[in-house]
Amino acid sequence: MVHFCGLLTLRREPVPLKSISVSVNIYEFVAGVSATLNYENEEKVPLEAFFVFPMDEDSAVYSFEALVDGKKIVAELQDKMKARTNYEKAISQGHQAFLLEGDSSSRDVFSCNVGNLQPGSKAAVTLKYVQELPLETDGALRFVLPAVLNPRYQFSGSSKDSCLNVKTLIVPVEELPYTLSMVTTIDSQHGIEKVQSNCPLSPTEYLGEDKTSAQVSLAAGHKFDRDVELLIYYSEVHTPSVVLEMGMPNMKPGHLMGDPSAMVSFYPNIPEDQPSNTCGEFIFLMDRSGSMQSPMSSQDTSQLRIQAAKETLILLLKSLPIGCYFNIYGFGSSYEACFPESVKYTQQTMEEALGRVKLMQADLGGTEILAPLQNIYRGPSIPGHPLQLFVFTDGEVTDTFSVIKEVRINGQKHRCFSFGIGEGASTSLIKGIARASGGTSEFITGKDRMQSKALRTLKRSLQPVVEDVSLSWHLPPGLSAKMLSPEQTVIFRGQRLIIYAQMTGRMPAAETTGEVCLKYTLQGKTFEDKVTFPLQPKPDVNLTIHRLAAKSLLQTKDMGLRETPASDKKDALNLSLESGVISSFTAFIAINKELNKPVQGPLAHRDIPRPILLGASAPLKIKCKSDFPKALRYACPPSASQHRGALTCYEAKTFQVDDYSLCGLISHKDQHSPDFGENHLVQLIYHQNANGSWDLNEDLAKVLGMSLEEITAAHPAELVDSSGWATILAVIWLHSNGKDLKCEWELLERKAMAWMRAHAGSTMPSVVKAAITFLKSSVDPAIFAF
């Protein structure tokens, strides 16, 4: 059953949260963020305000403080149960209290309580965190400020302790009563080439002639309809480095926060090779919940998620190597598989799978991913064919830690590659399952193409396996490095590798250097990457490297309140308290004991509303407009029902309610996925055979824009048969008409090329020349690499 945290409602009481102001400082590939929530009580009674908001899974939250009417109150990190008790006790005693905690079921959702905010009083609540910035394929560093938190699917076994269970108000983005501002400062010794964003920004202001420092600001009027994404391009991003940070001055050596910490960055120069794996079991697990009927982005013209998913599966099926095994699962409240178990990749099995993909709809209800995962893992392993699992989901689930735990348990027998679809996908789920199995994660938002990211990942999964990965340190006597990051067993080409270590022992005199060496084996050859670095730790008041190291370690031990093994709970709690980085077992609590005004009766509770995106949630089965008020009453929080007369319903002109739309937010033209008829690229790829060839038929003629008779008449039958002629024509068409999307068809083209070389032999140059002339193409014959 799907529980919505409110449904397009607006309460007339003033909302105490007025604005959110964010300051971001990016140095090289680390971001330090300070976010301030500005509250004001405009009512005549004391308030308790409750706000649920998204965070990135990799954020290391280390500070929380409040400024109330000019007085600063710094929070303390405590055991979560103790912090909650202290918060309730403080409120009951008439004190002012502030509570910040992460959700019990997911690392990417936080809640903030502001308790006993007096009439006319103002409070600025500030949280600070640091995080690594991931490296995109094109060399950009990606910073995301989460602004979208979609309702998440609640199933019968969901945690009752989750803040996502609180039915807070949800309003259209244009009616949101608070604003967002963000100023970002960027520093890099390598020089900043440009900054791009999915949101309007002020012009980039360079703070020096050498372009090593720059500042950008988010334009006013952000609508909370998308996460704020920055893509930062440096002149050089692939330089290995070591950053050594001094520990806390007053802490004894031997502790994580007392010793210096090192952050090591490697960019292994793994040679690009033709995919060598002709074996493997490839399982594609595709979300078919109702929310997949939504557009890929908030733009009206964007493709539906389910349509992009279908095209992606077609491309993946056509790109698989001959001799492998595969299967496709669709999941929602239930799940379906194309085949009872994985089958060998042949023309027959590929055609059967394609037929099912073409009929696929977002019709399986909610988002329950755990059951299909368990079914996949129960299946028998295929000797010589290691399992490669591709998971596509919009991430609207609540049992995040249970899913990650299941993937981790089976992590040694497979790799999981995950894809978060659309705004608000759970970073905790998508990153967590990839990390637990040695895979990679991707997020598909805005104008990103699911097809491109999926095919790049498939190419990565087909690369030769990097083996015997090891890290060694060469340090002066008396100094050693204690690894804090998990042992690295998988390295992918183009991937940045970040490793944290605690430096124990006596630091040498100035001018001394150390060396760290990454060694690995690829196809029998040994490779080494070395970095020499000065052994002079630098101070940082925010202890950025230490916090990131603690977060990295916590991610290996902290699996939530319910899923963390007892042996790890104590370690995670102690690590969190020592480092000051919040975890599932801790919370920040700040109490203003100077305020001592006993509350007469219960505090007036105000849930801060959140925005709802067009089509962001699973469809509701509302048959007609007369049912709308009933659905509205169900979705409102209990406190709202007590003020029914003050509730305004957004109805009138925008709602055309039926079985496939969320109060008309998904327009009628989008309710049924179109066929591939107008997309000639997908149509051409759809008709490729499993062995890489094409048949000479009407389907190919339609894509080429010619009659079958014309193509047949130009066929040099003395040089090649009809399939060879058709295949060469198809490949030339791809290069002429689909070059901008080459990353999506590169693998299936390689398969076609291999088939042609074996099929046409020495006549291939002559056939290619005839095909280029016939198509009047400017394609260079050299692409065929005779």
Side-chain angles (χ1 to χ4, degrees):
M1 187 176 187
V2 178
H3 297 282
F4 290 94
C5 302
L7 178 62
L8 299 174
T9 65
L10 181 65
R11 296 171 57 180
R12 289 178 182 153
E13 299 95 338
V15 174
L17 179 62
K18 301 303 178 184
S19 66
I20 302 173
S21 54
V22 180
S23 173
V24 183
N25 289 285
I26 296 173
Y27 179 70
E28 302 299 0
F29 45 84
V30 173
V33 183
S34 175
T36 300
L37 312 177
N38 297 295
Y39 291 87
E40 181 179 359
N41 183 1
E42 298 176 313
E43 300 188 48
K44 296 180 180 180
V45 294
L47 298 181
E48 179 182 30
F50 180 71
F51 185 39
V52 179
F53 57 96
M55 291 280 287
D56 190 279
E57 136 88 10
D58 291 331
S59 301
V61 180
Y62 66 89
S63 174
F64 183 57
E65 61 187 37
L67 186 66
V68 185
D69 299 328
K71 177 179 173 59
K72 185 176 179 180
I73 310 160
V74 179
E76 178 185 348
L77 189 64
Q78 298 180 356
D79 176 283
K80 182 179 283 189
M81 297 301 109
K82 179 183 176 183
R84 288 178 178 177
T85 301
N86 288 339
Y87 174 82
E88 296 295 340
K89 183 179 178 181
I91 295 299
S92 67
Q93 293 176 346
H95 300 313
Q96 206 163 45
F98 304 84
L99 182 69
L100 177 74
E101 59 179 303
D103 186 60
S104 61
S105 300
S106 186
R107 276 192 287 252
D108 60 351
V109 180
F110 275 66
S111 63
C112 177
N113 291 66
V114 175
N116 204 2
L117 188 62
Q118 294 296 300
S121 185
K122 294 182 179 181
V125 179
T126 300
L127 63 97
K128 296 179 181 179
Y129 64 89
V130 291
Q131 69 178 104
E132 303 167 6
L133 300 185
L135 185 66
E136 297 290 288
T137 307
D138 63 354
L141 288 167
R142 182 173 180 260
F143 169 77
V144 177
L145 179 71
V148 176
L149 178 58
N150 293 326
R152 296 190 179 180
Y153 180 78
Q154 306 274 331
F155 68 105
S156 57
S158 298
S159 170
K160 305 303 179 187
D161 195 35
S162 172
C163 63
L164 292 168
N165 291 331
V166 178
K167 296 179 180 177
T168 54
L169 295 166
I170 289 185
V171 301
V173 292
E174 64 272 11
E175 300 293 343
L176 210 62
Y178 48 88
T179 61
L180 174 67
S181 62
M182 185 180 85
V183 177
T184 304
T185 302
I186 306 163
D187 291 285
S188 172
Q189 61 181 339
H190 301 295
I192 303 159
E193 288 190 348
K194 60 182 176 179
V195 181
Q196 296 178 341
S197 178
N198 63 334
C199 300
L201 296 177
S202 64
T204 301
E205 178 186 355
Y206 288 101
L207 306 179
E209 293 183 2
D210 57 359
K211 291 190 174 183
T212 57
S213 184
Q215 189 174 87
V216 294
S217 299
L218 181 67
H222 181 72
K223 297 296 185 183
F224 288 87
D225 59 342
R226 69 195 76 175
D227 296 336
V228 181
E229 177 182 271
L230 298 180
L231 295 175
I232 302 146
Y233 294 84
Y234 295 150
S235 300
E236 174 57 56
V237 293
H238 296 98
T239 304
S241 64
V242 177
V243 179
L244 200 57
E245 181 181 88
M246 192 180 293
M248 294 178 70
N250 299 327
M251 185 165 285
K252 295 180 180 178
H255 293 82
L256 171 62
M257 303 304 288
D259 288 330
S261 284
M263 181 183 191
V264 184
S265 303
F266 278 112
Y267 302 84
N269 188 22
I270 299 173
E272 183 170 14
D273 196 4
Q274 297 287 324
S276 65
N277 289 354
T278 56
C279 59
E281 179 186 7
F282 297 87
I283 295 183
F284 306 109
L285 180 57
M286 182 63 71
D287 194 336
R288 285 176 53 191
S289 62
S291 50
M292 288 291 288
Q293 188 66 20
S294 308
M296 285 295 297
S297 76
S298 56
Q299 300 172 11
D300 293 337
T301 57
S302 68
Q303 191 176 33
L304 293 185
R305 296 177 185 179
I306 190 63
Q307 182 66 17
K310 291 163 72 170
E311 291 185 10
T312 299
L313 286 173
I314 290 172
L315 286 164
L316 288 168
L317 284 171
K318 296 295 182 175
S319 302
L320 289 176
I322 295 291
C324 74
Y325 286 75
F326 79 100
N327 204 349
I328 300 173
Y329 280 73
F331 73 93
S333 301
S334 58
Y335 63 89
E336 300 173 354
C338 268
F339 307 99
E341 58 185 34
S342 294
V343 295
K344 195 164 188 178
Y345 181 68
T346 65
Q347 183 67 24
Q348 180 181 343
T349 57
M350 184 196 72
E351 287 180 354
E352 186 174 344
L354 284 174
R356 296 197 177 200
V357 167
K358 201 168 184 181
L359 298 174
M360 184 181 291
Q361 297 294 331
D363 55 2
L364 291 183
T367 312
E368 295 190 29
I369 191 174
L370 186 59
L373 279 175
Q374 291 171 333
N375 186 73
I376 290 168
Y377 294 144
R378 280 196 298 266
S381 298
I382 303 173
H385 293 270
L387 175 60
Q388 312 260 33
L389 177 62
F390 289 67
V391 177
F392 300 83
T393 178
D394 55 20
E396 296 174 3
V397 302
T398 52
D399 56 336
T400 302
F401 284 124
S402 300
V403 175
I404 296 173
K405 180 182 179 182
E406 187 68 27
V407 174
R408 178 182 287 185
I409 290 172
N410 295 277
Q412 295 301 312
K413 66 178 185 180
H414 84 300
R415 288 189 299 184
C416 178
F417 301 92
S418 56
F419 302 84
I421 303 169
E423 305 290 349
S426 170
T427 58
S428 185
L429 175 70
I430 303 304
K431 292 182 179 182
I433 59 177
R435 184 186 297 113
S437 61
T440 60
S441 59
E442 295 276 4
F443 289 88
I444 305 157
T445 59
K447 296 180 181 179
D448 292 341
R449 284 180 58 82
M450 185 189 309
Q451 300 90 322
S452 298
K453 293 202 170 187
L455 269 294
R456 277 200 297 263
T457 300
L458 177 63
K459 182 181 176 182
R460 182 179 288 162
S461 75
L462 291 169
Q463 288 293 327
V465 177
V466 174
E467 301 174 309
D468 302 327
V469 181
S470 64
L471 196 73
S472 58
W473 297 78
H474 302 282
L475 303 169
L479 184 65
S480 62
K482 177 184 176 183
M483 296 299 295
L484 299 175
S485 300
E487 182 182 356
Q488 203 71 34
T489 57
V490 179
I491 302 177
F492 296 102
R493 187 179 185 277
Q495 182 184 28
R496 183 185 63 203
L497 192 62
I498 294 181
I499 300 155
Y500 295 99
Q502 178 181 345
M503 311 301 287
T504 60
R506 194 168 62 116
M507 276 299 193
E511 313 257 331
T512 309
T513 61
E515 183 183 83
V516 58
C517 176
L518 175 71
K519 185 182 292 187
Y520 52 93
T521 302
L522 178 67
Q523 294 182 315
K525 296 181 181 179
T526 300
F527 295 84
E528 285 188 356
D529 287 351
K530 295 180 180 179
V531 184
T532 301
F533 59 98
L535 287 169
Q536 284 81 50
K538 296 182 179 180
D540 180 353
V541 66
N542 294 322
L543 294 165
T544 301
I545 305 303
H546 285 77
R547 313 281 193 198
L548 290 173
K551 179 67 177 182
S552 175
L553 198 52
L554 279 170
Q555 286 175 326
T556 66
K557 294 179 177 293
D558 181 0
M559 292 295 292
L561 290 173
R562 296 197 303 170
E563 301 295 344
T564 304
S567 57
D568 286 339
K569 279 186 178 180
K570 185 177 180 181
D571 290 344
L573 175 61
N574 291 338
L575 175 61
S576 177
L577 293 174
E578 179 189 341
S579 65
V581 175
I582 202 169
S583 71
S584 299
F585 309 102
T586 53
F588 280 104
I589 172 78
I591 300 174
N592 180 11
K593 293 186 178 181
E594 289 185 10
L595 179 69
N596 190 9
K597 294 184 179 181
V599 179
Q600 303 300 319
L603 285 171
H605 189 84
R606 297 289 178 261
D607 294 320
I608 307 301
R610 303 204 317 267
I612 186 169
L613 299 186
L614 300 186
S617 306
L620 283 181
K621 301 271 184 173
I622 302 175
K623 296 291 185 182
C624 61
K625 289 185 181 180
S626 62
D627 286 340
F628 182 73
K630 180 180 178 183
L632 179 66
R633 285 195 297 273
Y634 166 77
C636 292
S639 57
S641 64
Q642 300 166 14
H643 304 276
R644 186 60 51 197
L647 200 61
T648 300
C649 163
Y650 290 85
E651 39 188 26
K653 54 185 191 258
T654 55
F655 297 123
Q656 299 294 325
V657 184
D658 57 36
D659 284 346
Y660 296 93
S661 65
L662 176 56
C663 300
L665 293 176
I666 303 174
S667 64
H668 285 283
K669 64 181 171 63
D670 289 337
Q671 287 169 13
H672 298 284
S673 297
D675 202 352
F676 309 118
E678 296 303 314
N679 191 329
H680 287 168
L681 176 62
V682 177
Q683 198 175 53
L684 177 69
I685 291 169
Y686 186 85
H687 293 292
Q688 187 188 28
N689 295 318
N691 63 8
S693 68
W694 274 267
D695 295 327
L696 185 57
N697 54 29
E698 291 286 358
D699 293 320
L700 178 64
K702 182 180 178 182
V703 173
L704 297 180
M706 299 177 175
S707 69
L708 182 59
E709 290 73 18
E710 287 179 276
I711 300 172
T712 303
H715 171 209
E718 72 282 2
L719 299 176
V720 71
D721 64 16
S722 61
S723 290
W725 178 238
T727 302
I728 287 178
L729 290 175
V731 171
I732 293 172
W733 188 95
L734 283 173
H735 281 272
S736 298
N737 299 276
K739 56 186 176 183
D740 291 341
L741 297 174
K742 184 178 180 181
C743 62
E744 296 180 12
W745 48 261
E746 186 176 17
L747 289 176
L748 62 90
E749 182 226 17
R750 287 182 182 180
K751 204 159 55 165
M753 292 284 200
W755 181 87
M756 284 191 294
R757 291 190 191 99
H759 197 73
S762 60
T763 66
M764 190 168 162
S766 300
V767 179
V768 169
K769 183 178 179 180
I772 289 175
T773 302
F774 172 63
L775 292 176
K776 299 177 181 178
S777 172
S778 59
V779 167
D780 187 349
I783 64 169
F784 290 89
F786 305 127

